[in-house]
Amino acid sequence: MPARTGKQVIERLRTQPPELWLEGQRVEDPTSHPKTRNAVASLAALYDLQYQDDLVDVMTFKSPSSGHLVGRSFMVPESKDDLRKRSQMHKVWADASLGHMGRSPDYMNVNVMAAGMAGAYFDEVDGRFGQNIRNYFEYVRENDLALTHALTNPQIDKSKQANEFDDPFIALGLVEETSEGILVRGARMLATLPISDEILIFPSTVLQGGDELRPYALGFSLPNSTPGLRFQCREPLDQGRSHVDHPLGSRFDELDAMVIFDDVIVPWERVFLIRDVDRANQAYARTGAVLHMAHQVVNLKIAKTEAILGTLQAVIDMIGTGHYPHVQEMVAEVIITLEIMKALKVASEEQATVNEYGVMTPARGPLDAARNYYPAVHKRLMEILQLCSSSGLIMVPSEADWTGERSGDISKFLQGKNGSAEERLRLFRLAWDMTISGFGGRQSLYERFFFGDPVRMKHALYGVYDRSAYVDRVERFLADDTWPQT
Ligand SMILES: Cc1cc2nc3c(=O)[nH]c(=O)nc-3n(C[C@H](O)[C@H](O)[C@H](O)COP(=O)(O)OP(=O)(O)OC[C@H]3O[C@@H](n4cnc5c(N)ncnc54)[C@H](O)[C@@H]3O)c2cc1C
């Protein structure tokens, strides 16, 4: 099948819905449910962009197996230019949500691509698994499926390992191997975008132990509509308000859900790794998946920072504060953040190298810098938007107010320096939804944690970054008192 249209995305979700639980009730049809349909529509709109006349060459490429036009994020990059082309695709999808849909499907597409190309890695676990992951990559690409994923165990008692609970199947674990496949039971804490087609349980990086954790070393995939697989969603942030009142929340609440596996059989052809703790822990790094995902992320964060900068400047222009030096300094801070992220993206592409599976892989150094830098700086960006918008962020009456009986008051007292009250309110509603609304609050938490715990990410960077040449240089300098000769 060629790259999907939005209509096809909706049709598949309607006919093969995941078992979503929301506000105490099962969502029978996520494409029509009032709290999920807008996010589904936004997801579908991303897929429609694949066929927009001026974008089709950016968004798609010719499948090496079927010859169909398929999604660009499934392309196996062979050159630095391929990575740059893929960036353009990521950017189109990211800009569509002003960078506020963290888990647009290209994030997982590049994960599947990298894993599919690293079949030999999974063969090291079991000779069947390499072919399974190769087939899965082709299946997802040729059907243009949207995936979610869930890495972490339920957050119950972090001082214990998964096997130390009275019930060893609180964390998702392997119960037994059967002739049909593996029987799995338990839960994973969080999957964003449960309104998707499939879930990939890629070997996670959280197993801190030895053989006792073998049942928790798992890699597999399943359709989200598999019987026994349930998604317990958080409270929705789409409150059914208009796009004017909640410009982001009413469109881009991709949802987060706990994933519960109630004795689910994973067919053998969908199993990629079992019982191998070391290979589970190294899978993201060794397959290169983490770098391709980080490359998607850096594009997404550039789009988000551009949207924040655009909103900030529009707010400043709307209330006439651009002449204050400290306001200018704050805008400069956002510009610097944006340029750093752009530079890290370019550096990751320029310094890319071909990995052991023949995939041109963006460089780790710049991407590690980007994914450690952005969570810290995002909170400053939100602070700047708040400091520059001040009470304007709160004095944002709803659409019903400014079209209602007292609209005259609003037109008069809430007009802007360079725009009408309507223009001003639309703009400040956007700034509000970016920063302090429920949707904005979730975005802030997302930025802190979506790629992992910032503390452990920095520890990991400390562990892998080679500083030896710099230490040697300093030691040589200290040891040589003869230079320069006077
Ligand atoms: C909005 C949102 C969306 C997300 N979407 C997804 C998704 O789609 N898929 C997915 O797989 N995950 C997702 N995540 C989860 C994300 O991967 C985790 O939040 C992240 O890995 C941190 O794990 P945790 O939440 O279990 O935190 P915890 O591990 O419970 O950490 C809590 C606190 O304890 C500290 N801590 C815990 N253990 C250690 C340790 N060993 N060493 C040092 N400090 C420690 C942490 O630093 C932190 O301060 C999402 C998270 C959020 C907030």
Side-chain angles (χ1 to χ4, degrees), residues 86 134 371 389:
R86 195 178 69 187
R134 284 183 207 104
R371 70 190 173 115
S389 310

Side-chain angles (χ1 to χ4, degrees), residues 112-217:
V112 174
M113 179 280 297
M117 292 303 291
Y121 182 76
F122 298 92
D123 274 336
E124 291 170 18
V125 181
D126 183 310
R128 294 167 295 176
F129 295 163
Q131 196 54 47
N132 286 353
I133 193 90
R134 284 183 207 104
N135 293 345
Y136 188 61
F137 166 38
E138 179 155 348
Y139 173 73
V140 175
R141 181 186 69 209
E142 296 302 315
N143 290 281
D144 202 11
L145 299 179
L147 269 52
T148 184
H149 78 316
L151 298 171
T152 55
N153 293 336
Q155 190 191 44
I156 291 177
D157 178 353
K158 291 282 173 166
S159 68
K160 284 184 176 164
Q161 296 298 321
N163 63 310
E164 291 170 343
F165 288 93
D166 291 341
D167 179 346
F169 293 107
I170 286 180
L172 175 67
L174 172 62
V175 181
E176 59 174 339
E177 296 178 34
T178 73
S179 55
E180 284 171 75
I182 56 170
L183 179 66
V184 294
R185 183 185 301 159
R188 288 269 167 109
M189 181 76 174
L190 204 54
T192 301
L193 201 73
I195 44 168
S196 47
D197 305 304
E198 297 242 340
I199 186 162
L200 178 64
I201 297 296
F202 200 63
S204 84
T205 51
V206 294
L207 299 171
Q208 293 167 338
D211 279 354
E212 70 283 6
L213 293 178
R214 291 179 73 216
Y216 307 98

